[in-house]
Amino acid sequence: MEWYEQARAAEEIQDWDTAIALVSARAACYSADFRAHDSHLWHMDLLVGAERFTELTELARTDVHARRRLNRSLHERGMDRALRHRAEEGDKGALYLLVRLLCETGRLPEAGRAVEDLGPEDEYAHQIVADVPAPPSGD
C-alpha cells in the first residue's frame, strides 16, 4: 500500500495538502469496505490537523463523522463560542460538548444557562450539569 505510507509520511511532516489528497481519494463514509471507512475517519482527522475548519464545517452539514470530529476539536480547543453557535443551529452534540466544557472549566452557572437557553427539555444536557460534583465545603 504505497499510498498509505506516502500519506503517513506526509502527515508526519505536516504536509497536509498531500496527506489529505491521498487519503480523501480512498475515503468513503459508511462504506462496506472498512478500509474506505477508516480512510474517511482519517480524512476528518487530517482536516483538523490542517485546521481546515471551514471545510470540516461544510462537510459537517451532511456527514455525522465530520460533525462529531469538528465538535470534539472545538471542545479540545476550548472554543465555547463556536460550540454555542453550533448548538444554536440545533446540533445536540455541540450542546453536550459545550456544557461539558463549561463544567470542566468551572463555569457551572454558565453551563446551566446554556442548557436552559439551548436545550431546556433535553434531559441529557441537564444530567451533564447535575453530574458535576459539588465543590468542597469550606469547613
Side-chain angles (χ1 to χ4, degrees), residues 1-2 18 20 38 44 47 49 51 56 58 61 65 68 77 82 84 88 91 99 105 121 135:
M1 250 205 280
E2 186 176 311
T18 299
I20 289 168
D38 285 349
M44 300 302 106
L47 292 174
E51 298 185 354
L56 197 56
E58 190 60 37
R61 294 179 195 276
H65 301 107
R68 288 177 186 157
R77 287 172 165 70
R84 176 176 276 280
E88 288 169 348
D91 185 335
V99 172
T105 55
E121 303 298 319

Side-chain angles (χ1 to χ4, degrees), residues 26-80:
R26 289 154 182 88
C29 186
Y30 291 118
S31 173
D33 175 0
F34 74 91
R35 288 179 204 91
H37 183 69
D38 285 349
S39 292
H40 176 67
L41 299 177
W42 185 11
H43 179 217
M44 300 302 106
D45 287 340
L46 290 170
L47 292 174
V48 170
E51 298 185 354
R52 291 190 185 176
F53 296 110
T54 302
E55 188 174 342
L56 197 56
T57 300
E58 190 60 37
L59 288 170
R61 294 179 195 276
T62 58
D63 184 325
V64 66
H65 301 107
R67 185 170 55 252
R68 288 177 186 157
R69 190 60 186 98
L70 174 61
N71 289 341
R72 191 169 76 235
S73 180
L74 296 173
H75 176 263
E76 290 166 355
R77 287 172 165 70
M79 299 177 72
D80 54 291

Side-chain angles (χ1 to χ4, degrees), residues 105-121:
T105 55
R107 297 180 282 170
L108 193 55
E110 193 176 339
R113 282 192 304 277
V115 172
E116 289 306 318
D117 292 347
L118 303 170
E121 303 298 319

